[in-house]
Amino acid sequence: MANQISRATACMRHLPRIARCAALIAGAWSVVGCRSADAYNRDRRAELVERAQFEMQCPQNQLHFTVLRRGTEGGRRRRVGPDIVTSYGVTGCGRRTVYVLEPDTATWLANTSGGEEAAAPAP
């Protein structure tokens, strides 16, 4: 019992140091958080490029990406930040597909079939 009390007392002595460390960690985390949406979007888009190339049978240099939605849709269980891209329209090689980010697994799901023929542009 005395051992437990002395351990608790030792921990209490170091509380100011622990609080300073926690503040430093929180500050560092907030700096990372400022760029995390950009980094997250960049990583997810790189994964989408690979997937779209495969599903649309089209090389990367012929794919065009359009951001369709950012942030959370109304009924999502897990909310994402307002700067996170959650939907892309991808066109290339005469095809178009809409991809939606599944937030629980952070994977892209085709919301339309990968082989839809893109509408011809109006003259």
Short mmCIF file of all heavy atoms in Angstrom, two decimals, residues 30-104:
data_model
loop_
_atom_site.label_atom_id
_atom_site.label_comp_id
_atom_site.label_asym_id
_atom_site.label_seq_id
_atom_site.Cartn_x
_atom_site.Cartn_y
_atom_site.Cartn_z
N SER A 30 -2.06 19.97 -33.91
CA SER A 30 -2.90 20.95 -34.59
C SER A 30 -2.22 21.46 -35.86
O SER A 30 -2.88 21.74 -36.85
CB SER A 30 -3.24 22.11 -33.66
OG SER A 30 -2.10 22.87 -33.38
N VAL A 31 -0.89 21.57 -35.85
CA VAL A 31 -0.18 21.97 -37.07
C VAL A 31 -0.34 20.89 -38.13
O VAL A 31 -0.60 21.18 -39.29
CB VAL A 31 1.31 22.23 -36.77
CG1 VAL A 31 2.11 22.40 -38.04
CG2 VAL A 31 1.45 23.45 -35.88
N VAL A 32 -0.21 19.63 -37.73
CA VAL A 32 -0.40 18.53 -38.68
C VAL A 32 -1.83 18.54 -39.19
O VAL A 32 -2.08 18.34 -40.37
CB VAL A 32 -0.06 17.18 -38.00
CG1 VAL A 32 -0.46 16.02 -38.88
CG2 VAL A 32 1.41 17.12 -37.69
N GLY A 33 -2.78 18.82 -38.30
CA GLY A 33 -4.18 18.84 -38.69
C GLY A 33 -4.49 19.89 -39.74
O GLY A 33 -5.38 19.72 -40.55
N CYS A 34 -3.74 20.99 -39.76
CA CYS A 34 -3.98 22.05 -40.74
C CYS A 34 -3.72 21.57 -42.16
O CYS A 34 -4.36 22.01 -43.08
CB CYS A 34 -3.10 23.26 -40.45
SG CYS A 34 -3.59 24.13 -38.97
N ARG A 35 -2.77 20.69 -42.32
CA ARG A 35 -2.47 20.21 -43.67
C ARG A 35 -2.99 18.80 -43.90
O ARG A 35 -2.83 18.24 -44.96
CB ARG A 35 -0.98 20.31 -43.95
CG ARG A 35 -0.11 19.34 -43.19
CD ARG A 35 1.33 19.43 -43.60
NE ARG A 35 1.64 18.82 -44.85
CZ ARG A 35 1.78 17.50 -45.05
NH1 ARG A 35 1.61 16.68 -44.06
NH2 ARG A 35 2.10 17.04 -46.23
N SER A 36 -3.65 18.24 -42.92
CA SER A 36 -4.06 16.85 -43.05
C SER A 36 -5.13 16.65 -44.11
O SER A 36 -5.14 15.62 -44.76
CB SER A 36 -4.53 16.29 -41.71
OG SER A 36 -5.70 16.94 -41.29
N ALA A 37 -6.02 17.61 -44.32
CA ALA A 37 -7.05 17.45 -45.36
C ALA A 37 -6.39 17.36 -46.73
O ALA A 37 -6.75 16.51 -47.55
CB ALA A 37 -8.06 18.59 -45.31
N ASP A 38 -5.41 18.24 -46.99
CA ASP A 38 -4.71 18.20 -48.28
C ASP A 38 -3.96 16.89 -48.46
O ASP A 38 -4.01 16.27 -49.52
CB ASP A 38 -3.72 19.37 -48.40
CG ASP A 38 -4.43 20.70 -48.54
OD1 ASP A 38 -5.61 20.72 -48.98
OD2 ASP A 38 -3.80 21.73 -48.23
N ALA A 39 -3.26 16.46 -47.41
CA ALA A 39 -2.50 15.20 -47.49
C ALA A 39 -3.45 14.02 -47.67
O ALA A 39 -3.19 13.12 -48.47
CB ALA A 39 -1.64 15.02 -46.24
N TYR A 40 -4.55 14.02 -46.93
CA TYR A 40 -5.54 12.95 -47.03
C TYR A 40 -6.12 12.90 -48.45
O TYR A 40 -6.20 11.84 -49.06
CB TYR A 40 -6.65 13.18 -46.01
CG TYR A 40 -7.67 12.08 -45.94
CD1 TYR A 40 -7.44 10.96 -45.16
CD2 TYR A 40 -8.86 12.16 -46.65
CE1 TYR A 40 -8.37 9.94 -45.09
CE2 TYR A 40 -9.80 11.15 -46.58
CZ TYR A 40 -9.55 10.04 -45.80
OH TYR A 40 -10.47 9.03 -45.74
N ASN A 41 -6.51 14.07 -48.99
CA ASN A 41 -7.05 14.11 -50.35
C ASN A 41 -6.03 13.63 -51.37
O ASN A 41 -6.37 12.89 -52.31
CB ASN A 41 -7.50 15.53 -50.70
CG ASN A 41 -8.78 15.93 -50.00
OD1 ASN A 41 -9.58 15.08 -49.63
ND2 ASN A 41 -8.98 17.21 -49.83
N ARG A 42 -4.77 14.02 -51.20
CA ARG A 42 -3.72 13.61 -52.13
C ARG A 42 -3.54 12.09 -52.11
O ARG A 42 -3.46 11.45 -53.15
CB ARG A 42 -2.42 14.33 -51.75
CG ARG A 42 -1.36 14.33 -52.80
CD ARG A 42 -0.17 15.22 -52.48
NE ARG A 42 0.19 15.35 -51.08
CZ ARG A 42 -0.06 16.42 -50.32
NH1 ARG A 42 -0.68 17.47 -50.82
NH2 ARG A 42 0.32 16.46 -49.05
N ASP A 43 -3.51 11.51 -50.90
CA ASP A 43 -3.35 10.06 -50.79
C ASP A 43 -4.55 9.32 -51.39
O ASP A 43 -4.39 8.33 -52.09
CB ASP A 43 -3.18 9.64 -49.33
CG ASP A 43 -1.86 10.11 -48.74
OD1 ASP A 43 -0.96 10.51 -49.52
OD2 ASP A 43 -1.73 10.09 -47.51
N ARG A 44 -5.75 9.78 -51.07
CA ARG A 44 -6.96 9.10 -51.59
C ARG A 44 -7.04 9.24 -53.11
O ARG A 44 -7.45 8.32 -53.80
CB ARG A 44 -8.23 9.68 -50.97
CG ARG A 44 -8.39 9.52 -49.46
CD ARG A 44 -8.53 8.08 -48.96
NE ARG A 44 -7.31 7.33 -48.88
CZ ARG A 44 -6.36 7.45 -47.95
NH1 ARG A 44 -6.47 8.34 -47.00
NH2 ARG A 44 -5.29 6.69 -47.97
N ARG A 45 -6.64 10.41 -53.65
CA ARG A 45 -6.71 10.59 -55.10
C ARG A 45 -5.71 9.66 -55.80
O ARG A 45 -6.02 9.11 -56.86
CB ARG A 45 -6.44 12.04 -55.48
CG ARG A 45 -6.52 12.20 -57.00
CD ARG A 45 -6.58 13.60 -57.43
NE ARG A 45 -6.34 13.67 -58.86
CZ ARG A 45 -6.81 14.59 -59.62
NH1 ARG A 45 -7.56 15.54 -59.13
NH2 ARG A 45 -6.54 14.60 -60.90
N ALA A 46 -4.53 9.49 -55.22
CA ALA A 46 -3.55 8.57 -55.82
C ALA A 46 -4.13 7.15 -55.91
O ALA A 46 -3.95 6.45 -56.91
CB ALA A 46 -2.26 8.57 -55.01
N GLU A 47 -4.86 6.75 -54.86
CA GLU A 47 -5.51 5.43 -54.89
C GLU A 47 -6.60 5.40 -55.95
O GLU A 47 -6.78 4.39 -56.65
CB GLU A 47 -6.10 5.11 -53.52
CG GLU A 47 -5.05 4.90 -52.46
CD GLU A 47 -5.62 4.85 -51.06
OE1 GLU A 47 -6.86 4.95 -50.90
OE2 GLU A 47 -4.83 4.71 -50.11
N LEU A 48 -7.34 6.49 -56.09
CA LEU A 48 -8.41 6.55 -57.09
C LEU A 48 -7.85 6.48 -58.50
O LEU A 48 -8.44 5.83 -59.37
CB LEU A 48 -9.24 7.82 -56.91
CG LEU A 48 -10.36 8.02 -57.93
CD1 LEU A 48 -11.33 6.84 -57.92
CD2 LEU A 48 -11.08 9.33 -57.67
N VAL A 49 -6.73 7.12 -58.74
CA VAL A 49 -6.11 7.08 -60.07
C VAL A 49 -5.84 5.63 -60.47
O VAL A 49 -6.18 5.20 -61.57
CB VAL A 49 -4.82 7.92 -60.11
CG1 VAL A 49 -4.02 7.65 -61.38
CG2 VAL A 49 -5.15 9.40 -60.00
N GLU A 50 -5.24 4.87 -59.56
CA GLU A 50 -4.94 3.46 -59.86
C GLU A 50 -6.23 2.68 -60.14
O GLU A 50 -6.30 1.90 -61.08
CB GLU A 50 -4.19 2.82 -58.70
CG GLU A 50 -2.77 3.32 -58.56
CD GLU A 50 -2.04 2.65 -57.42
OE1 GLU A 50 -2.40 1.50 -57.06
OE2 GLU A 50 -1.09 3.25 -56.90
N ARG A 51 -7.22 2.90 -59.31
CA ARG A 51 -8.48 2.16 -59.47
C ARG A 51 -9.18 2.54 -60.77
O ARG A 51 -9.68 1.69 -61.49
CB ARG A 51 -9.38 2.44 -58.27
CG ARG A 51 -10.64 1.64 -58.30
CD ARG A 51 -11.45 1.85 -57.03
NE ARG A 51 -12.53 0.90 -57.03
CZ ARG A 51 -12.79 0.07 -56.05
NH1 ARG A 51 -12.05 0.06 -54.98
NH2 ARG A 51 -13.80 -0.76 -56.13
N ALA A 52 -9.23 3.84 -61.06
CA ALA A 52 -9.91 4.30 -62.28
C ALA A 52 -9.21 3.78 -63.53
O ALA A 52 -9.87 3.39 -64.50
CB ALA A 52 -9.99 5.82 -62.29
N GLN A 53 -7.88 3.76 -63.52
CA GLN A 53 -7.15 3.23 -64.68
C GLN A 53 -7.56 1.79 -64.95
O GLN A 53 -7.80 1.40 -66.10
CB GLN A 53 -5.64 3.24 -64.41
CG GLN A 53 -5.00 4.59 -64.48
CD GLN A 53 -3.51 4.48 -64.22
OE1 GLN A 53 -2.74 4.55 -65.16
NE2 GLN A 53 -3.12 4.32 -62.97
N PHE A 54 -7.66 1.02 -63.89
CA PHE A 54 -8.02 -0.39 -64.03
C PHE A 54 -9.48 -0.55 -64.46
O PHE A 54 -9.77 -1.23 -65.44
CB PHE A 54 -7.79 -1.12 -62.71
CG PHE A 54 -8.23 -2.55 -62.75
CD1 PHE A 54 -7.46 -3.52 -63.37
CD2 PHE A 54 -9.43 -2.94 -62.17
CE1 PHE A 54 -7.88 -4.84 -63.42
CE2 PHE A 54 -9.87 -4.25 -62.21
CZ PHE A 54 -9.08 -5.22 -62.84
N GLU A 55 -10.39 0.08 -63.73
CA GLU A 55 -11.82 -0.12 -64.00
C GLU A 55 -12.25 0.48 -65.34
O GLU A 55 -13.13 -0.07 -66.00
CB GLU A 55 -12.67 0.47 -62.87
CG GLU A 55 -12.55 -0.33 -61.59
CD GLU A 55 -13.41 0.22 -60.47
OE1 GLU A 55 -13.93 1.35 -60.57
OE2 GLU A 55 -13.56 -0.50 -59.46
N MET A 56 -11.66 1.59 -65.72
CA MET A 56 -12.07 2.24 -66.97
C MET A 56 -11.20 1.82 -68.15
O MET A 56 -11.46 2.22 -69.28
CB MET A 56 -12.03 3.76 -66.79
CG MET A 56 -13.03 4.24 -65.74
SD MET A 56 -12.94 6.00 -65.39
CE MET A 56 -13.57 6.67 -66.93
N GLN A 57 -10.18 1.02 -67.88
CA GLN A 57 -9.24 0.56 -68.91
C GLN A 57 -8.73 1.75 -69.71
O GLN A 57 -8.84 1.80 -70.94
CB GLN A 57 -9.91 -0.47 -69.82
CG GLN A 57 -10.35 -1.70 -69.06
CD GLN A 57 -11.11 -2.68 -69.93
OE1 GLN A 57 -11.46 -2.40 -71.07
NE2 GLN A 57 -11.36 -3.85 -69.38
N CYS A 58 -8.17 2.70 -68.97
CA CYS A 58 -7.73 3.96 -69.58
C CYS A 58 -6.46 4.42 -68.89
O CYS A 58 -6.38 4.39 -67.66
CB CYS A 58 -8.85 5.00 -69.39
SG CYS A 58 -8.58 6.53 -70.30
N PRO A 59 -5.43 4.84 -69.64
CA PRO A 59 -4.18 5.29 -69.00
C PRO A 59 -4.39 6.60 -68.23
O PRO A 59 -5.25 7.41 -68.57
CB PRO A 59 -3.22 5.49 -70.17
CG PRO A 59 -4.05 5.54 -71.39
CD PRO A 59 -5.35 4.86 -71.09
N GLN A 60 -3.57 6.77 -67.23
CA GLN A 60 -3.68 7.92 -66.34
C GLN A 60 -3.66 9.25 -67.09
O GLN A 60 -4.41 10.16 -66.76
CB GLN A 60 -2.56 7.90 -65.31
CG GLN A 60 -2.58 9.08 -64.36
CD GLN A 60 -1.46 9.02 -63.33
OE1 GLN A 60 -0.77 8.02 -63.20
NE2 GLN A 60 -1.28 10.10 -62.61
N ASN A 61 -2.82 9.37 -68.10
CA ASN A 61 -2.69 10.65 -68.80
C ASN A 61 -3.94 11.01 -69.61
O ASN A 61 -4.06 12.13 -70.11
CB ASN A 61 -1.45 10.69 -69.68
CG ASN A 61 -1.49 9.66 -70.80
OD1 ASN A 61 -2.37 8.82 -70.87
ND2 ASN A 61 -0.50 9.72 -71.67
N GLN A 62 -4.89 10.09 -69.72
CA GLN A 62 -6.14 10.39 -70.43
C GLN A 62 -7.33 10.53 -69.48
O GLN A 62 -8.46 10.75 -69.93
CB GLN A 62 -6.42 9.31 -71.47
CG GLN A 62 -5.40 9.31 -72.59
CD GLN A 62 -5.72 8.26 -73.64
OE1 GLN A 62 -6.86 7.95 -73.90
NE2 GLN A 62 -4.67 7.71 -74.24
N LEU A 63 -7.08 10.39 -68.19
CA LEU A 63 -8.16 10.52 -67.21
C LEU A 63 -8.27 11.97 -66.73
O LEU A 63 -7.27 12.64 -66.52
CB LEU A 63 -7.91 9.62 -66.00
CG LEU A 63 -7.97 8.12 -66.26
CD1 LEU A 63 -7.56 7.36 -65.00
CD2 LEU A 63 -9.36 7.70 -66.71
N HIS A 64 -9.51 12.44 -66.57
CA HIS A 64 -9.77 13.79 -66.06
C HIS A 64 -10.68 13.66 -64.85
O HIS A 64 -11.71 12.99 -64.90
CB HIS A 64 -10.44 14.64 -67.14
CG HIS A 64 -9.61 14.74 -68.38
ND1 HIS A 64 -8.52 15.58 -68.49
CD2 HIS A 64 -9.68 14.07 -69.56
CE1 HIS A 64 -7.98 15.42 -69.68
NE2 HIS A 64 -8.66 14.51 -70.35
N PHE A 65 -10.29 14.33 -63.76
CA PHE A 65 -10.99 14.24 -62.48
C PHE A 65 -11.69 15.56 -62.17
O PHE A 65 -11.08 16.62 -62.28
CB PHE A 65 -10.00 13.91 -61.36
CG PHE A 65 -9.34 12.57 -61.54
CD1 PHE A 65 -8.25 12.42 -62.37
CD2 PHE A 65 -9.83 11.46 -60.88
CE1 PHE A 65 -7.65 11.19 -62.54
CE2 PHE A 65 -9.24 10.22 -61.04
CZ PHE A 65 -8.15 10.09 -61.88
N THR A 66 -12.95 15.47 -61.78
CA THR A 66 -13.73 16.63 -61.38
C THR A 66 -14.26 16.39 -59.97
O THR A 66 -14.91 15.37 -59.72
CB THR A 66 -14.92 16.85 -62.33
OG1 THR A 66 -14.43 16.98 -63.67
CG2 THR A 66 -15.71 18.08 -61.94
N VAL A 67 -13.96 17.31 -59.06
CA VAL A 67 -14.50 17.19 -57.70
C VAL A 67 -16.00 17.46 -57.77
O VAL A 67 -16.43 18.50 -58.25
CB VAL A 67 -13.81 18.19 -56.75
CG1 VAL A 67 -14.48 18.18 -55.38
CG2 VAL A 67 -12.33 17.88 -56.62
N LEU A 68 -16.78 16.50 -57.30
CA LEU A 68 -18.23 16.65 -57.30
C LEU A 68 -18.76 17.03 -55.93
O LEU A 68 -19.78 17.72 -55.82
CB LEU A 68 -18.90 15.35 -57.76
CG LEU A 68 -18.57 14.89 -59.17
CD1 LEU A 68 -19.27 13.58 -59.48
CD2 LEU A 68 -18.95 15.96 -60.20
N ARG A 69 -18.09 16.59 -54.87
CA ARG A 69 -18.58 16.88 -53.53
C ARG A 69 -17.42 16.89 -52.54
O ARG A 69 -16.51 16.09 -52.63
CB ARG A 69 -19.60 15.85 -53.10
CG ARG A 69 -20.11 16.10 -51.68
CD ARG A 69 -21.28 15.28 -51.36
NE ARG A 69 -22.38 15.80 -52.17
CZ ARG A 69 -23.60 15.30 -52.17
NH1 ARG A 69 -23.88 14.29 -51.40
NH2 ARG A 69 -24.54 15.81 -52.91
N ARG A 70 -17.52 17.78 -51.58
CA ARG A 70 -16.58 17.84 -50.45
C ARG A 70 -17.39 17.74 -49.18
O ARG A 70 -18.52 18.18 -49.11
CB ARG A 70 -15.82 19.17 -50.41
CG ARG A 70 -14.82 19.31 -51.51
CD ARG A 70 -14.10 20.67 -51.37
NE ARG A 70 -13.18 20.86 -52.48
CZ ARG A 70 -11.92 20.46 -52.46
NH1 ARG A 70 -11.43 19.89 -51.39
NH2 ARG A 70 -11.15 20.64 -53.50
N GLY A 71 -16.78 17.17 -48.16
CA GLY A 71 -17.43 17.12 -46.85
C GLY A 71 -18.40 15.97 -46.71
O GLY A 71 -18.39 15.01 -47.46
N THR A 72 -19.26 16.11 -45.72
CA THR A 72 -20.15 15.04 -45.30
C THR A 72 -21.50 15.13 -45.96
O THR A 72 -22.07 16.20 -46.05
CB THR A 72 -20.34 15.11 -43.77
OG1 THR A 72 -19.05 15.12 -43.19
CG2 THR A 72 -21.11 13.94 -43.25
N GLU A 73 -21.99 14.00 -46.37
CA GLU A 73 -23.38 13.93 -46.82
C GLU A 73 -24.24 13.81 -45.57
O GLU A 73 -23.79 13.34 -44.53
CB GLU A 73 -23.58 12.71 -47.71
CG GLU A 73 -22.80 12.80 -49.00
CD GLU A 73 -22.99 11.58 -49.85
OE1 GLU A 73 -24.01 10.89 -49.70
OE2 GLU A 73 -22.11 11.32 -50.66
N GLY A 74 -25.49 14.18 -45.66
CA GLY A 74 -26.37 14.24 -44.51
C GLY A 74 -26.43 13.01 -43.63
O GLY A 74 -26.33 13.11 -42.42
N GLY A 75 -26.58 11.82 -44.17
CA GLY A 75 -26.83 10.66 -43.33
C GLY A 75 -25.63 9.81 -43.00
O GLY A 75 -25.80 8.70 -42.54
N ARG A 76 -24.43 10.28 -43.20
CA ARG A 76 -23.24 9.47 -42.93
C ARG A 76 -23.09 9.20 -41.45
O ARG A 76 -23.28 10.08 -40.64
CB ARG A 76 -21.99 10.15 -43.45
CG ARG A 76 -21.92 10.23 -44.94
CD ARG A 76 -21.53 8.90 -45.47
NE ARG A 76 -21.29 9.01 -46.89
CZ ARG A 76 -21.32 7.98 -47.69
NH1 ARG A 76 -21.59 6.79 -47.22
NH2 ARG A 76 -21.09 8.13 -48.96
N ARG A 77 -22.68 7.98 -41.13
CA ARG A 77 -22.41 7.63 -39.74
C ARG A 77 -21.15 8.32 -39.25
O ARG A 77 -21.07 8.81 -38.15
CB ARG A 77 -22.23 6.12 -39.59
CG ARG A 77 -23.48 5.33 -39.78
CD ARG A 77 -23.14 3.88 -39.62
NE ARG A 77 -21.98 3.57 -40.44
CZ ARG A 77 -21.82 2.47 -41.13
NH1 ARG A 77 -22.74 1.54 -41.10
NH2 ARG A 77 -20.75 2.26 -41.85
N ARG A 78 -20.14 8.31 -40.05
CA ARG A 78 -18.86 8.89 -39.66
C ARG A 78 -18.65 10.16 -40.47
O ARG A 78 -18.54 10.12 -41.69
CB ARG A 78 -17.74 7.89 -39.95
CG ARG A 78 -16.39 8.41 -39.56
CD ARG A 78 -15.34 7.34 -39.78
NE ARG A 78 -14.05 7.96 -39.68
CZ ARG A 78 -12.98 7.50 -40.25
NH1 ARG A 78 -13.02 6.40 -40.94
NH2 ARG A 78 -11.83 8.11 -40.12
N ARG A 79 -18.57 11.26 -39.81
CA ARG A 79 -18.44 12.54 -40.51
C ARG A 79 -17.00 12.78 -40.93
O ARG A 79 -16.07 12.39 -40.25
CB ARG A 79 -18.92 13.66 -39.62
CG ARG A 79 -20.38 13.51 -39.30
CD ARG A 79 -20.94 14.78 -38.73
NE ARG A 79 -22.37 14.62 -38.61
CZ ARG A 79 -23.24 15.06 -39.50
NH1 ARG A 79 -22.84 15.69 -40.56
NH2 ARG A 79 -24.53 14.89 -39.33
N VAL A 80 -16.84 13.44 -42.05
CA VAL A 80 -15.52 13.86 -42.51
C VAL A 80 -15.50 15.37 -42.56
O VAL A 80 -16.55 16.01 -42.61
CB VAL A 80 -15.18 13.26 -43.90
CG1 VAL A 80 -15.09 11.76 -43.83
CG2 VAL A 80 -16.17 13.70 -44.94
N GLY A 81 -14.32 15.94 -42.55
CA GLY A 81 -14.19 17.39 -42.56
C GLY A 81 -14.69 18.00 -43.85
O GLY A 81 -14.81 17.32 -44.88
N PRO A 82 -14.98 19.29 -43.83
CA PRO A 82 -15.56 19.96 -45.00
C PRO A 82 -14.60 20.04 -46.18
O PRO A 82 -15.04 20.25 -47.31
CB PRO A 82 -15.91 21.34 -44.47
CG PRO A 82 -15.03 21.54 -43.29
CD PRO A 82 -14.82 20.19 -42.69
N ASP A 83 -13.30 19.88 -45.95
CA ASP A 83 -12.33 19.97 -47.04
C ASP A 83 -11.97 18.62 -47.66
O ASP A 83 -11.20 18.56 -48.61
CB ASP A 83 -11.06 20.66 -46.55
CG ASP A 83 -11.31 22.09 -46.14
OD1 ASP A 83 -12.18 22.73 -46.76
OD2 ASP A 83 -10.66 22.57 -45.20
N ILE A 84 -12.52 17.55 -47.12
CA ILE A 84 -12.22 16.21 -47.65
C ILE A 84 -13.08 15.97 -48.89
O ILE A 84 -14.30 16.14 -48.86
CB ILE A 84 -12.51 15.13 -46.59
CG1 ILE A 84 -11.66 15.35 -45.34
CG2 ILE A 84 -12.31 13.73 -47.17
CD1 ILE A 84 -10.18 15.23 -45.55
N VAL A 85 -12.44 15.58 -49.99
CA VAL A 85 -13.18 15.26 -51.22
C VAL A 85 -13.85 13.92 -51.03
O VAL A 85 -13.20 12.93 -50.69
CB VAL A 85 -12.24 15.24 -52.44
CG1 VAL A 85 -13.00 14.82 -53.69
CG2 VAL A 85 -11.57 16.59 -52.64
N THR A 86 -15.17 13.88 -51.20
CA THR A 86 -15.92 12.64 -51.00
C THR A 86 -16.51 12.10 -52.29
O THR A 86 -17.07 11.01 -52.28
CB THR A 86 -17.05 12.85 -49.97
OG1 THR A 86 -17.90 13.90 -50.42
CG2 THR A 86 -16.49 13.20 -48.60
N SER A 87 -16.37 12.83 -53.39
CA SER A 87 -16.91 12.32 -54.66
C SER A 87 -16.17 12.97 -55.83
O SER A 87 -15.96 14.18 -55.84
CB SER A 87 -18.41 12.63 -54.74
OG SER A 87 -18.94 12.15 -55.95
N TYR A 88 -15.77 12.13 -56.78
CA TYR A 88 -15.13 12.58 -58.01
C TYR A 88 -15.90 12.06 -59.21
O TYR A 88 -16.40 10.93 -59.19
CB TYR A 88 -13.71 12.00 -58.15
CG TYR A 88 -12.61 12.74 -57.46
CD1 TYR A 88 -12.04 12.24 -56.31
CD2 TYR A 88 -12.10 13.92 -57.99
CE1 TYR A 88 -10.99 12.89 -55.68
CE2 TYR A 88 -11.05 14.58 -57.37
CZ TYR A 88 -10.50 14.06 -56.22
OH TYR A 88 -9.47 14.71 -55.61
N GLY A 89 -15.96 12.85 -60.25
CA GLY A 89 -16.39 12.38 -61.55
C GLY A 89 -15.13 12.16 -62.36
O GLY A 89 -14.25 13.02 -62.39
N VAL A 90 -15.01 11.00 -62.99
CA VAL A 90 -13.80 10.68 -63.76
C VAL A 90 -14.22 10.38 -65.20
O VAL A 90 -15.12 9.58 -65.45
CB VAL A 90 -13.06 9.46 -63.17
CG1 VAL A 90 -11.77 9.20 -63.93
CG2 VAL A 90 -12.76 9.67 -61.69
N THR A 91 -13.58 11.06 -66.14
CA THR A 91 -13.84 10.81 -67.56
C THR A 91 -12.53 10.47 -68.24
O THR A 91 -11.46 10.92 -67.83
CB THR A 91 -14.46 12.05 -68.25
OG1 THR A 91 -13.58 13.16 -68.08
CG2 THR A 91 -15.83 12.37 -67.67
N GLY A 92 -12.63 9.68 -69.30
CA GLY A 92 -11.46 9.32 -70.08
C GLY A 92 -11.74 8.14 -70.98
O GLY A 92 -12.57 7.28 -70.65
N CYS A 93 -11.11 8.13 -72.14
CA CYS A 93 -11.24 7.03 -73.10
C CYS A 93 -12.71 6.77 -73.48
O CYS A 93 -13.12 5.63 -73.66
CB CYS A 93 -10.58 5.76 -72.57
SG CYS A 93 -8.81 5.96 -72.25
N GLY A 94 -13.49 7.84 -73.57
CA GLY A 94 -14.88 7.71 -73.97
C GLY A 94 -15.79 7.17 -72.87
O GLY A 94 -16.93 6.80 -73.13
N ARG A 95 -15.31 7.10 -71.65
CA ARG A 95 -16.11 6.58 -70.53
C ARG A 95 -16.17 7.61 -69.41
O ARG A 95 -15.35 8.51 -69.34
CB ARG A 95 -15.48 5.30 -70.00
CG ARG A 95 -15.45 4.17 -70.98
CD ARG A 95 -14.86 2.93 -70.33
NE ARG A 95 -14.93 1.81 -71.23
CZ ARG A 95 -13.92 1.41 -71.99
NH1 ARG A 95 -12.77 2.02 -71.93
NH2 ARG A 95 -14.07 0.37 -72.79
N ARG A 96 -17.13 7.42 -68.52
CA ARG A 96 -17.20 8.26 -67.32
C ARG A 96 -17.75 7.44 -66.16
O ARG A 96 -18.59 6.56 -66.34
CB ARG A 96 -18.05 9.50 -67.55
CG ARG A 96 -19.50 9.21 -67.74
CD ARG A 96 -20.28 10.47 -67.92
NE ARG A 96 -21.65 10.10 -68.27
CZ ARG A 96 -22.56 10.94 -68.63
NH1 ARG A 96 -22.25 12.22 -68.71
NH2 ARG A 96 -23.76 10.54 -68.91
N THR A 97 -17.25 7.75 -64.99
CA THR A 97 -17.66 7.05 -63.77
C THR A 97 -17.66 8.04 -62.63
O THR A 97 -16.82 8.94 -62.58
CB THR A 97 -16.68 5.90 -63.45
OG1 THR A 97 -16.61 5.02 -64.56
CG2 THR A 97 -17.11 5.11 -62.23
N VAL A 98 -18.59 7.89 -61.72
CA VAL A 98 -18.62 8.67 -60.49
C VAL A 98 -18.12 7.76 -59.38
O VAL A 98 -18.59 6.64 -59.23
CB VAL A 98 -20.04 9.18 -60.17
CG1 VAL A 98 -20.07 9.86 -58.80
CG2 VAL A 98 -20.52 10.13 -61.26
N TYR A 99 -17.14 8.25 -58.63
CA TYR A 99 -16.60 7.50 -57.50
C TYR A 99 -16.95 8.25 -56.21
O TYR A 99 -16.82 9.46 -56.13
CB TYR A 99 -15.08 7.38 -57.60
CG TYR A 99 -14.63 6.41 -58.67
CD1 TYR A 99 -14.35 6.84 -59.95
CD2 TYR A 99 -14.52 5.05 -58.38
CE1 TYR A 99 -13.96 5.94 -60.93
CE2 TYR A 99 -14.12 4.15 -59.35
CZ TYR A 99 -13.84 4.61 -60.63
OH TYR A 99 -13.45 3.72 -61.59
N VAL A 100 -17.38 7.48 -55.21
CA VAL A 100 -17.77 8.03 -53.91
C VAL A 100 -16.85 7.42 -52.85
O VAL A 100 -16.61 6.20 -52.85
CB VAL A 100 -19.25 7.70 -53.60
CG1 VAL A 100 -19.64 8.21 -52.23
CG2 VAL A 100 -20.15 8.28 -54.68
N LEU A 101 -16.36 8.26 -51.96
CA LEU A 101 -15.49 7.80 -50.88
C LEU A 101 -16.32 7.18 -49.78
O LEU A 101 -17.25 7.80 -49.26
CB LEU A 101 -14.68 8.97 -50.31
CG LEU A 101 -13.68 8.62 -49.22
CD1 LEU A 101 -12.55 7.75 -49.78
CD2 LEU A 101 -13.11 9.90 -48.61
N GLU A 102 -16.03 5.93 -49.44
CA GLU A 102 -16.69 5.25 -48.33
C GLU A 102 -15.89 5.63 -47.08
O GLU A 102 -14.74 5.23 -46.95
CB GLU A 102 -16.67 3.74 -48.57
CG GLU A 102 -17.75 2.96 -47.87
CD GLU A 102 -17.72 3.02 -46.36
OE1 GLU A 102 -16.63 2.84 -45.77
OE2 GLU A 102 -18.77 3.25 -45.76
N PRO A 103 -16.45 6.46 -46.20
CA PRO A 103 -15.63 7.02 -45.11
C PRO A 103 -15.15 6.02 -44.07
O PRO A 103 -14.10 6.23 -43.48
CB PRO A 103 -16.55 8.06 -44.47
CG PRO A 103 -17.92 7.65 -44.85
CD PRO A 103 -17.82 6.94 -46.16
N ASP A 104 -15.87 4.94 -43.85
CA ASP A 104 -15.43 3.99 -42.83
C ASP A 104 -14.19 3.21 -43.24
O ASP A 104 -13.38 2.83 -42.41
CB ASP A 104 -16.55 3.01 -42.47
CG ASP A 104 -17.71 3.72 -41.75
OD1 ASP A 104 -17.44 4.72 -41.05
OD2 ASP A 104 -18.85 3.28 -41.90
#
